[in-house]
Amino acid sequence: MTSFAAKSFNAAAYFASRPTYPPAFYDLTLAYHTSRGGEKESALDLGCGPGLIASQLTSRFTTVLGVDPGEKMISVAKSASVLPEDKLAYRVGKGEDLSFIEDSSVDLLTVGQAAHWFDFDVIWNELGRILKPGGSVAFWGYGENTFPNHPSLQGIISKYQASLPWQQPGRSIVEGLLSSLPFPVAPSQAPSPTLNLLSSRPWTLPQEPTPPAELTSTGWDPESMVRIRETPEGGPLGIPKTMTWEEYDDYLGTASGLHEYARLNGEEAGKKLRREFLDEIKEGVKQEGGRDDGKIDVVWPAVVMLAGKKL
């Protein structure tokens, strides 16, 4: 988080290089939300970064607010928006303190690749306070990228990622696809039948993390708690993207672990590490007869974690 919030962080490059969530993520989340009786007046995107999700929610909700602790992220989001502030607004803030948002005023709250930064002894109370009855929370996350056409190279990726000084426990939460994050209440053993609309086997892991001990917010629906890691067709949930090598290199440059490595070892050392990894991957793809158009197919394994309040 410190890397993304730093004034030197290149938020514009982050905006251009990060994977974007396909329409299926929005469709799935809206199907969940509306099937439980949720309304579509107010949406909040928490940890909004440069506004990737918030801007997409404007076609589905009357008003959207994006909140992020990084001033540069908010600056980029505002500069990219062409909508009036009464439709789409952004402000600096943290999920653990949303005192500027009224009680029971938010229909849907989304979090894209940011839930691993939260203090879960605090945040469920704050989210429970601002959500309306029937409101929903959707955490979207993705793990370490893969090259589906070159699975033999995964070891190189894992070795490189392990060499970076990631902030913990955030990195392990990301790699575990949010499986260690607690729901506000223990999930029901018999989730609502409406959730069958979303996936062939969407249910939670057999052993769930213990919910926060100091939960003061009420109204959470145990039948609404679910983690989804597969598509309705039964395949793994993922974010696919075809990238040029230059785009993939830019994506590598947005990693907080690499920024921390450069801070500890110097900018040149960070560039050298990144360049050596990219050269090794490119050579591996070449040896396996990769695409001849200078591009690479990338997939990030993904998860959608959903929780809702009772009507």
Side-chain angles (χ1 to χ4, degrees), residues 16-32:
S17 304
R18 282 278 164 150
T20 54
Y21 294 96
F25 282 71
Y26 297 89
D27 295 343
L28 184 154
T29 298
L30 264 293
Y32 166 89

PDB file of all heavy atoms in Angstrom, residues 16-32:
ATOM      1  N   ALA A  16      -2.961   2.096 -17.191  1.00  0.00           N
ATOM      2  CA  ALA A  16      -2.835   1.549 -18.532  1.00  0.00           C
ATOM      3  C   ALA A  16      -2.449   0.077 -18.548  1.00  0.00           C
ATOM      4  O   ALA A  16      -2.760  -0.636 -19.500  1.00  0.00           O
ATOM      5  CB  ALA A  16      -1.794   2.346 -19.314  1.00  0.00           C
ATOM      6  N   SER A  17      -1.771  -0.407 -17.494  1.00  0.00           N
ATOM      7  CA  SER A  17      -1.132  -1.718 -17.552  1.00  0.00           C
ATOM      8  C   SER A  17      -1.852  -2.822 -16.790  1.00  0.00           C
ATOM      9  O   SER A  17      -1.660  -4.002 -17.089  1.00  0.00           O
ATOM     10  CB  SER A  17       0.307  -1.616 -17.018  1.00  0.00           C
ATOM     11  OG  SER A  17       1.033  -0.651 -17.734  1.00  0.00           O
ATOM     12  N   ARG A  18      -2.632  -2.470 -15.798  1.00  0.00           N
ATOM     13  CA  ARG A  18      -3.254  -3.500 -14.963  1.00  0.00           C
ATOM     14  C   ARG A  18      -4.370  -4.231 -15.706  1.00  0.00           C
ATOM     15  O   ARG A  18      -5.015  -3.663 -16.585  1.00  0.00           O
ATOM     16  CB  ARG A  18      -3.817  -2.870 -13.692  1.00  0.00           C
ATOM     17  CG  ARG A  18      -2.765  -2.566 -12.649  1.00  0.00           C
ATOM     18  CD  ARG A  18      -2.457  -3.805 -11.860  1.00  0.00           C
ATOM     19  NE  ARG A  18      -1.225  -3.701 -11.101  1.00  0.00           N
ATOM     20  CZ  ARG A  18      -1.024  -4.349  -9.947  1.00  0.00           C
ATOM     21  NH1 ARG A  18      -1.974  -5.108  -9.435  1.00  0.00           N
ATOM     22  NH2 ARG A  18       0.136  -4.255  -9.334  1.00  0.00           N
ATOM     23  N   PRO A  19      -4.604  -5.511 -15.350  1.00  0.00           N
ATOM     24  CA  PRO A  19      -5.732  -6.229 -15.974  1.00  0.00           C
ATOM     25  C   PRO A  19      -7.058  -5.572 -15.608  1.00  0.00           C
ATOM     26  O   PRO A  19      -7.202  -5.025 -14.511  1.00  0.00           O
ATOM     27  CB  PRO A  19      -5.615  -7.633 -15.374  1.00  0.00           C
ATOM     28  CG  PRO A  19      -4.833  -7.467 -14.111  1.00  0.00           C
ATOM     29  CD  PRO A  19      -3.881  -6.340 -14.368  1.00  0.00           C
ATOM     30  N   THR A  20      -7.991  -5.585 -16.532  1.00  0.00           N
ATOM     31  CA  THR A  20      -9.318  -5.040 -16.287  1.00  0.00           C
ATOM     32  C   THR A  20     -10.319  -6.191 -16.191  1.00  0.00           C
ATOM     33  O   THR A  20     -10.203  -7.189 -16.893  1.00  0.00           O
ATOM     34  CB  THR A  20      -9.739  -4.080 -17.409  1.00  0.00           C
ATOM     35  OG1 THR A  20      -9.628  -4.757 -18.667  1.00  0.00           O
ATOM     36  CG2 THR A  20      -8.843  -2.854 -17.434  1.00  0.00           C
ATOM     37  N   TYR A  21     -11.299  -6.031 -15.320  1.00  0.00           N
ATOM     38  CA  TYR A  21     -12.261  -7.097 -15.080  1.00  0.00           C
ATOM     39  C   TYR A  21     -13.235  -7.213 -16.245  1.00  0.00           C
ATOM     40  O   TYR A  21     -13.831  -6.215 -16.658  1.00  0.00           O
ATOM     41  CB  TYR A  21     -13.014  -6.845 -13.776  1.00  0.00           C
ATOM     42  CG  TYR A  21     -12.118  -6.923 -12.564  1.00  0.00           C
ATOM     43  CD1 TYR A  21     -11.564  -5.770 -12.010  1.00  0.00           C
ATOM     44  CD2 TYR A  21     -11.801  -8.150 -11.988  1.00  0.00           C
ATOM     45  CE1 TYR A  21     -10.730  -5.836 -10.911  1.00  0.00           C
ATOM     46  CE2 TYR A  21     -10.964  -8.224 -10.891  1.00  0.00           C
ATOM     47  CZ  TYR A  21     -10.427  -7.065 -10.352  1.00  0.00           C
ATOM     48  OH  TYR A  21      -9.575  -7.129  -9.279  1.00  0.00           O
ATOM     49  N   PRO A  22     -13.418  -8.422 -16.776  1.00  0.00           N
ATOM     50  CA  PRO A  22     -14.346  -8.616 -17.895  1.00  0.00           C
ATOM     51  C   PRO A  22     -15.786  -8.345 -17.472  1.00  0.00           C
ATOM     52  O   PRO A  22     -16.115  -8.326 -16.270  1.00  0.00           O
ATOM     53  CB  PRO A  22     -14.149 -10.095 -18.255  1.00  0.00           C
ATOM     54  CG  PRO A  22     -12.851 -10.500 -17.636  1.00  0.00           C
ATOM     55  CD  PRO A  22     -12.716  -9.652 -16.411  1.00  0.00           C
ATOM     56  N   PRO A  23     -16.690  -8.163 -18.446  1.00  0.00           N
ATOM     57  CA  PRO A  23     -18.100  -7.919 -18.125  1.00  0.00           C
ATOM     58  C   PRO A  23     -18.711  -8.989 -17.230  1.00  0.00           C
ATOM     59  O   PRO A  23     -19.640  -8.693 -16.463  1.00  0.00           O
ATOM     60  CB  PRO A  23     -18.766  -7.898 -19.507  1.00  0.00           C
ATOM     61  CG  PRO A  23     -17.690  -7.451 -20.437  1.00  0.00           C
ATOM     62  CD  PRO A  23     -16.430  -8.050 -19.898  1.00  0.00           C
ATOM     63  N   ALA A  24     -18.204 -10.233 -17.306  1.00  0.00           N
ATOM     64  CA  ALA A  24     -18.783 -11.306 -16.504  1.00  0.00           C
ATOM     65  C   ALA A  24     -18.718 -11.009 -15.016  1.00  0.00           C
ATOM     66  O   ALA A  24     -19.602 -11.423 -14.254  1.00  0.00           O
ATOM     67  CB  ALA A  24     -18.066 -12.626 -16.798  1.00  0.00           C
ATOM     68  N   PHE A  25     -17.700 -10.284 -14.558  1.00  0.00           N
ATOM     69  CA  PHE A  25     -17.586  -9.957 -13.140  1.00  0.00           C
ATOM     70  C   PHE A  25     -18.705  -9.015 -12.722  1.00  0.00           C
ATOM     71  O   PHE A  25     -19.295  -9.158 -11.639  1.00  0.00           O
ATOM     72  CB  PHE A  25     -16.229  -9.324 -12.846  1.00  0.00           C
ATOM     73  CG  PHE A  25     -15.097 -10.312 -12.767  1.00  0.00           C
ATOM     74  CD1 PHE A  25     -14.619 -10.947 -13.904  1.00  0.00           C
ATOM     75  CD2 PHE A  25     -14.513 -10.617 -11.549  1.00  0.00           C
ATOM     76  CE1 PHE A  25     -13.582 -11.855 -13.845  1.00  0.00           C
ATOM     77  CE2 PHE A  25     -13.473 -11.527 -11.473  1.00  0.00           C
ATOM     78  CZ  PHE A  25     -13.014 -12.147 -12.615  1.00  0.00           C
ATOM     79  N   TYR A  26     -18.992  -8.040 -13.556  1.00  0.00           N
ATOM     80  CA  TYR A  26     -20.088  -7.103 -13.272  1.00  0.00           C
ATOM     81  C   TYR A  26     -21.430  -7.820 -13.345  1.00  0.00           C
ATOM     82  O   TYR A  26     -22.295  -7.628 -12.467  1.00  0.00           O
ATOM     83  CB  TYR A  26     -20.056  -5.941 -14.272  1.00  0.00           C
ATOM     84  CG  TYR A  26     -18.800  -5.114 -14.189  1.00  0.00           C
ATOM     85  CD1 TYR A  26     -17.670  -5.449 -14.940  1.00  0.00           C
ATOM     86  CD2 TYR A  26     -18.737  -4.001 -13.360  1.00  0.00           C
ATOM     87  CE1 TYR A  26     -16.510  -4.684 -14.876  1.00  0.00           C
ATOM     88  CE2 TYR A  26     -17.583  -3.224 -13.285  1.00  0.00           C
ATOM     89  CZ  TYR A  26     -16.468  -3.580 -14.045  1.00  0.00           C
ATOM     90  OH  TYR A  26     -15.319  -2.830 -13.963  1.00  0.00           O
ATOM     91  N   ASP A  27     -21.608  -8.653 -14.362  1.00  0.00           N
ATOM     92  CA  ASP A  27     -22.877  -9.373 -14.523  1.00  0.00           C
ATOM     93  C   ASP A  27     -23.125 -10.307 -13.342  1.00  0.00           C
ATOM     94  O   ASP A  27     -24.246 -10.376 -12.821  1.00  0.00           O
ATOM     95  CB  ASP A  27     -22.865 -10.179 -15.825  1.00  0.00           C
ATOM     96  CG  ASP A  27     -22.808  -9.292 -17.058  1.00  0.00           C
ATOM     97  OD1 ASP A  27     -23.094  -8.083 -16.945  1.00  0.00           O
ATOM     98  OD2 ASP A  27     -22.460  -9.815 -18.135  1.00  0.00           O
ATOM     99  N   LEU A  28     -22.095 -11.016 -12.935  1.00  0.00           N
ATOM    100  CA  LEU A  28     -22.227 -11.946 -11.821  1.00  0.00           C
ATOM    101  C   LEU A  28     -22.606 -11.195 -10.546  1.00  0.00           C
ATOM    102  O   LEU A  28     -23.528 -11.582  -9.811  1.00  0.00           O
ATOM    103  CB  LEU A  28     -20.917 -12.706 -11.633  1.00  0.00           C
ATOM    104  CG  LEU A  28     -20.846 -13.811 -10.576  1.00  0.00           C
ATOM    105  CD1 LEU A  28     -19.780 -14.828 -10.963  1.00  0.00           C
ATOM    106  CD2 LEU A  28     -20.523 -13.255  -9.194  1.00  0.00           C
ATOM    107  N   THR A  29     -21.882 -10.098 -10.284  1.00  0.00           N
ATOM    108  CA  THR A  29     -22.122  -9.333  -9.059  1.00  0.00           C
ATOM    109  C   THR A  29     -23.507  -8.713  -9.057  1.00  0.00           C
ATOM    110  O   THR A  29     -24.213  -8.736  -8.033  1.00  0.00           O
ATOM    111  CB  THR A  29     -21.052  -8.241  -8.911  1.00  0.00           C
ATOM    112  OG1 THR A  29     -19.760  -8.862  -8.805  1.00  0.00           O
ATOM    113  CG2 THR A  29     -21.295  -7.406  -7.669  1.00  0.00           C
ATOM    114  N   LEU A  30     -23.950  -8.174 -10.202  1.00  0.00           N
ATOM    115  CA  LEU A  30     -25.282  -7.575 -10.273  1.00  0.00           C
ATOM    116  C   LEU A  30     -26.375  -8.628 -10.159  1.00  0.00           C
ATOM    117  O   LEU A  30     -27.427  -8.382  -9.550  1.00  0.00           O
ATOM    118  CB  LEU A  30     -25.431  -6.791 -11.567  1.00  0.00           C
ATOM    119  CG  LEU A  30     -25.157  -5.282 -11.502  1.00  0.00           C
ATOM    120  CD1 LEU A  30     -26.209  -4.595 -10.661  1.00  0.00           C
ATOM    121  CD2 LEU A  30     -23.760  -5.007 -10.935  1.00  0.00           C
ATOM    122  N   ALA A  31     -26.140  -9.827 -10.730  1.00  0.00           N
ATOM    123  CA  ALA A  31     -27.122 -10.903 -10.592  1.00  0.00           C
ATOM    124  C   ALA A  31     -27.281 -11.296  -9.129  1.00  0.00           C
ATOM    125  O   ALA A  31     -28.401 -11.505  -8.640  1.00  0.00           O
ATOM    126  CB  ALA A  31     -26.693 -12.112 -11.425  1.00  0.00           C
ATOM    127  N   TYR A  32     -26.167 -11.398  -8.439  1.00  0.00           N
ATOM    128  CA  TYR A  32     -26.196 -11.697  -7.002  1.00  0.00           C
ATOM    129  C   TYR A  32     -26.951 -10.607  -6.258  1.00  0.00           C
ATOM    130  O   TYR A  32     -27.849 -10.879  -5.435  1.00  0.00           O
ATOM    131  CB  TYR A  32     -24.750 -11.799  -6.510  1.00  0.00           C
ATOM    132  CG  TYR A  32     -24.568 -11.780  -5.014  1.00  0.00           C
ATOM    133  CD1 TYR A  32     -24.592 -12.968  -4.274  1.00  0.00           C
ATOM    134  CD2 TYR A  32     -24.324 -10.585  -4.337  1.00  0.00           C
ATOM    135  CE1 TYR A  32     -24.399 -12.946  -2.901  1.00  0.00           C
ATOM    136  CE2 TYR A  32     -24.135 -10.560  -2.967  1.00  0.00           C
ATOM    137  CZ  TYR A  32     -24.173 -11.738  -2.254  1.00  0.00           C
ATOM    138  OH  TYR A  32     -23.979 -11.718  -0.896  1.00  0.00           O
TER     139      TYR A  32
END
